[in-house]
Amino acid sequence: MHDRLAVILLGPPGAGKGTQARLFAGRLSIPQLSTGDMLRDHVARNTPLGREAKVVMERGDLVPDAIVVGMVEDRLSQPDAMRGFIFDGFPRTLPQADALGKILDRLGFGRPVVVNFVVDYDGLFRRLTGRRTCALCGEIYNVTDRPPKVDGRCDRDGGELKQRSDDRAEVISERLAAYDRQTRPLVEYYRTHGRLVDVNGDADAGTVTRSLEKVFGAPQGRA
Ligand code: AMP
């Protein structure tokens, strides 16, 4: 359907990028590349990179560009990324965006499709403090907006639902400040360097999915 599609989901923490990235990665058969997930995996495995990233992540700051770009370059050299990928949480700074532009040129990708999640900041606190993630499959819930059928358990596989350690009020304000300072300028950057589409991230997840279907197409039988 799509030939070599590079997708970037842009928006503050809690805007719904991860939920939609999981869904569309499955539908488009291309991997979801979440630098946050990759870093948390390093932290869980207690690698040298993970030990360096942990302190930064726990205070809500951004991990240095060189670390993140190196991790992404490694990941993009794997065969499943040849046809395309959906970035969720990358790039987050202008130097990361410049580095990615060079990588995409080298790999022969065209300009990325950039989905900009436009959200009201007031709602993000509630979304982030209520977020729970399945320890087994990574499915994302919210205690108020999208509760599981059984408290604390994933609907799909019964896995334990966990709260991220950086989804605490004091860290959330730092993460939102980092977004404002370092990531928000990418919206303007991608108005010229990408194919930027704005979506209303405050709508419920189903409505956001339908907006994204206008960009990527709907599953067959549901045009
Ligand atoms: P996320 O899961 O996308 O909310 O990311 C969690 C944390 O990982 C962020 O608060 C940052 O500390 C770090 N992180 C994830 N992606 C990046 C990135 N592209 N650049 C720098 N730090 C990142």
Side-chain angles (χ1 to χ4, degrees):
M1 181 186 27
H2 288 286
D3 204 30
R4 315 206 71 209
L5 185 64
V7 180
I8 294 170
L9 303 187
L10 200 59
K17 304 185 298 294
T19 299
Q20 302 297 336
R22 284 173 62 80
L23 185 68
F24 281 89
R27 288 189 184 178
L28 300 169
S29 301
I30 53 178
Q32 170 198 5
L33 303 192
S34 158
T35 42
D37 283 349
M38 292 181 203
L39 289 165
R40 279 185 288 277
D41 182 56
H42 273 280
V43 172
R45 289 186 290 118
N46 196 23
T47 66
L49 191 159
R51 285 196 289 277
E52 188 175 344
K54 187 171 193 267
V55 275
V56 180
M57 292 167 80
E58 279 181 350
R59 54 169 201 259
D61 277 342
L62 295 186
V63 171
D65 291 333
I67 292 187
V68 179
V69 170
M71 213 172 57
V72 165
E73 269 194 297
D74 284 351
R75 182 64 185 84
L76 291 184
S77 66
Q78 290 172 27
D80 67 332
M82 295 295 282
R83 281 191 46 245
F85 32 81
I86 301 185
F87 281 119
D88 149 23
F90 178 88
R92 259 177 154 103
T93 65
L94 286 168
Q96 289 180 19
D98 277 335
L100 177 63
K102 293 198 180 87
I103 297 171
L104 293 182
D105 282 349
R106 197 172 68 233
L107 296 176
F109 280 85
R111 282 194 304 164
V113 175
V114 183
V115 180
N116 178 34
F117 286 65
V118 181
V119 290
D120 170 28
Y121 266 33
D122 291 343
L124 291 176
F125 251 86
R126 185 179 47 80
R127 287 166 80 157
L128 287 164
T129 48
R131 172 158 69 183
R132 302 290 183 273
T133 311
C134 174
L136 292 180
C137 72
E139 187 71 6
I140 303 163
Y141 295 85
N142 187 286
V143 292
T144 44
D145 301 348
R146 189 186 175 226
K149 294 199 180 80
V150 177
D151 200 25
R153 293 280 157 197
C154 179
D155 294 349
R156 299 165 115 192
D157 53 25
E160 187 188 350
L161 299 187
K162 296 209 157 172
Q163 181 170 28
R164 277 172 45 175
S165 59
D166 59 352
D167 279 345
R168 286 173 291 122
E170 59 282 18
V171 187
I172 290 171
S173 20
E174 280 311 310
R175 290 164 62 206
L176 292 178
Y179 173 81
D180 260 338
R181 210 167 44 232
Q182 287 162 283
T183 311
R184 190 189 286 286
L186 296 189
V187 177
E188 287 316 311
Y189 175 92
Y190 279 121
R191 283 196 204 282
T192 43
H193 292 86
R195 290 176 275 162
L196 191 97
V197 188
D198 289 320
V199 298
N200 173 12
D202 285 329
D204 62 86
T207 306
V208 177
T209 297
R210 282 188 291 282
S211 314
L212 293 185
E213 284 171 352
K214 295 196 183 111
V215 181
F216 301 116
Q220 289 198 336
R222 279 205 40 214

